[in-house]
Amino acid sequence: MRVLVTGGAGFIGANLCRSLVAATGIDSVVVLDDVSTGSVANLEEIVGDGAGAVELHVGSILDTDALDAAIVGCDAVVHLAAIPSVQRSVEAPIRSHLANATGTIEVLEAARRHGGLHVITASSSSVYGANPTMPKHEQLPTRPLSPYAASKLAAEAYTLAYGHSYSMPTLAFRFFNVYGPLQRPGHAYAAAIPAFVHATLTDQPITVHGTGEQSRDFTSVDTVAAVILDSLRRRVHDSEPINLAFGTRSSLNVVIGQIAELTGKRPEVRRVASRVGDVMHSQADGGRLAELFPDIRPVDLATGLKSTIAWMADDVIGA
Ligand code: NAD
């Protein structure tokens, strides 16, 4: 099987590509990425020609020619390319819409032109937004709070509509706070875990927006890669969006406590104002995921944090 990964030079994409090139049943992997937030360095060890390597195309999903060149000969697409930040979407909503919503329909059209390929799209738990019900199950009404969330809702809706309208095997996953190696700290939009781990390892204060009691269903990137690989191999598709998380909610304060324990440090915590568009709690109902992927066991938080800390110490701080 030949697989196109859009956004494959990003955090989740590059971790996924590492699993795909080593997996049986996957013959070749192509990446299309404009390296706007991702980087070629994320694929350094695996980029090249032939078996066990990733064929890298630097270009945008908004460029039809670039998409056609990357997708030709592929059997499946994992569509991860997006501008994945709530804050950026609040500052530049049309840019987010173009990359995340228009970009998704471009990818789906390319998959349709090239024979109705299997398409797996990354949506986001942010689509639940202001809906207070917990845990979040897929049948809940969505209430996006940010342009980012609205654009991801459009992305998953297009993905599922292509399944219905063109009988294409499509699947839309709602990711919930994915973390792990290759997720970079040190920029204004950094996710919580890499920012906390980096601050702790470099003896800087941890900045927390709000009380720290806000909680998330943190999911290891290795678990996400395992679920996507299983989807590809078994050509899993569904007419409804699927939460990709397991109902294990942890507060930011608990995460900070675990990082302190694993590193043997005592980080100083500075509390600042909450951010526009942030939700207080997020926890998945993982029932549908368990039905579709009965063999997948999630990596627990302590194990996932351990590998994140080791990567940050070696590849970011030690580099
Ligand atoms: P990332 O920024 O590391 O990866 C996104 C990749 O898409 C980057 O490599 C970027 O260069 C590329 N890209 C952006 N615009 C592009 C375009 N027009 N053409 C081609 N490539 C483009 O972010 P990530 O965390 O790896 O996110 C991957 C996907 O998962 C995104 O769709 C994101 O919305 C979704 N998601 C992530 C999380 C999370 O916790 N990380 C949660 C929910 C959803």
Side-chain angles (χ1 to χ4, degrees):
M1 181 191 306
R2 184 171 171 84
V3 181
L4 169 63
V5 181
T6 72
F11 153 55
I12 297 173
N15 276 287
L16 174 68
C17 285
R18 285 163 195 231
S19 322
L20 293 183
V21 294
T24 50
I26 308 291
D27 305 308
S28 52
V29 180
V30 187
V31 164
L32 177 63
D33 197 302
D34 70 356
V35 295
S36 52
T37 58
S39 96
V40 175
N42 282 341
L43 295 171
E44 209 165 46
E45 298 136 39
I46 50 170
V47 96
D49 296 323
V54 163
E55 182 183 311
L56 174 63
H57 293 230
V58 175
S60 174
I61 52 169
L62 294 167
D63 174 345
T64 310
D65 292 340
L67 256 176
D68 278 333
I71 208 171
V72 66
C74 286
D75 306 287
V77 181
V78 182
H79 172 43
L80 304 173
I83 299 176
S85 157
V86 168
Q87 286 299 109
R88 269 183 216 194
S89 79
V90 171
E91 288 156 18
I94 295 190
R95 243 192 108 216
S96 280
H97 178 88
L98 283 173
N100 302 357
T102 308
T104 298
I105 197 169
E106 290 288 357
V107 169
L108 289 161
E109 268 301 273
R112 185 162 82 95
R113 275 196 301 281
H114 288 262
L117 310 184
H118 185 203
V119 180
I120 299 167
T121 295
S123 179
S124 161
S125 59
S126 63
V127 301
Y128 294 113
N131 191 319
T133 311
M134 294 271 276
K136 311 290 184 200
H137 63 80
E138 292 89 344
Q139 300 305 320
L140 284 175
T142 50
R143 289 177 62 192
L145 288 173
S146 64
Y148 168 73
S151 71
K152 295 311 277 188
L153 187 57
E156 69 171 49
Y158 275 130
T159 301
L160 301 177
Y162 265 64
H164 185 79
S165 302
Y166 306 111
S167 300
M168 282 166 56
T170 63
L171 190 58
F173 280 124
R174 292 178 176 166
F175 293 174
F176 280 66
N177 295 85
V178 187
Y179 72 96
L182 301 181
Q183 192 175 33
R184 304 232 158 232
H187 59 78
Y189 310 102
I193 287 182
F196 293 175
V197 169
H198 187 263
T200 304
L201 289 174
T202 55
D203 300 314
Q204 294 167 49
I206 287 178
T207 303
V208 170
H209 294 266
T211 61
E213 280 311 300
Q214 60 269 47
S215 61
R216 298 289 181 265
D217 203 333
F218 291 108
T219 315
S220 157
V221 72
D222 290 339
T223 308
V224 171
V227 170
I228 293 175
L229 175 59
D230 196 19
S231 315
L232 288 167
R233 281 183 171 145
R234 294 190 293 115
R235 213 173 156 81
V236 178
H237 55 93
D238 206 273
S239 57
E240 302 290 336
I242 310 295
N243 292 333
L244 205 172
F246 296 81
T248 47
R249 177 163 66 94
S250 311
S251 72
L252 297 186
N253 292 333
V254 163
V255 170
I256 292 168
Q258 288 218 13
I259 294 171
E261 204 175 306
L262 289 165
T263 56
K265 298 200 176 223
R266 286 278 161 269
E268 179 197 336
V269 178
R270 283 193 193 153
R271 302 190 192 284
V272 298
S274 308
R275 287 186 295 207
V276 179
D278 271 359
V279 297
M280 191 62 197
H281 300 293
S282 176
Q283 180 181 2
D285 178 323
R288 201 56 197 117
L289 186 79
E291 275 170 30
L292 287 171
F293 301 94
D295 298 333
I296 304 282
R297 297 284 167 271
V299 173
D300 63 72
L301 186 64
T303 307
L305 284 176
K306 228 181 266 176
S307 65
T308 307
I309 291 166
W311 168 78
M312 192 79 74
D314 291 350
D315 288 32
V316 179
I317 297 163

